[in-house]
Amino acid sequence: MTTAIPTTSQMVIDIHDTSIVRDLKHLLTRIQGVGAIKVTKNYYESQEFYADLDAAEKDIRAGKGLRISNKQELDALFV
């Protein structure tokens, strides 16, 4: 009799269609030995990030925004 040692593995797949993610999760749950499946979103490589970045650049061009001169001014924004 052999004993499997539990290990954690990671697979990174860049998918923009949520239906494919749903199908992959369904298929992976049918594989014996797969204990948990976690799907995370990488904000910095998403279309949402680029839309937010474009909006921020548009605001800056329109004169909306803050000028931060030092770390203390930056820290004061989060107090």
Side-chain angles (χ1 to χ4, degrees), residues 8-69:
T8 300
S9 298
Q10 178 177 342
M11 181 187 323
V12 177
I13 304 173
D14 187 17
I15 300 174
H16 298 286
D17 187 349
T18 56
S19 65
I20 295 173
V21 172
R22 189 174 47 250
D23 291 345
L24 281 171
K25 285 180 70 174
H26 177 72
L27 289 171
L28 288 171
T29 58
R30 299 179 65 162
I31 298 173
Q32 185 176 7
V34 173
I37 300 167
K38 183 171 98 174
V39 177
T40 59
K41 180 177 180 181
N42 184 350
Y43 172 72
Y44 295 104
E45 293 181 8
S46 70
Q47 292 174 348
E48 180 185 2
F49 169 74
Y50 291 105
D52 290 348
L53 188 59
D54 290 342
E57 289 173 345
K58 183 178 176 183
D59 286 347
I60 291 168
R61 284 192 299 274
K64 300 176 187 174
L66 301 172
R67 184 171 300 268
I68 306 296
S69 300

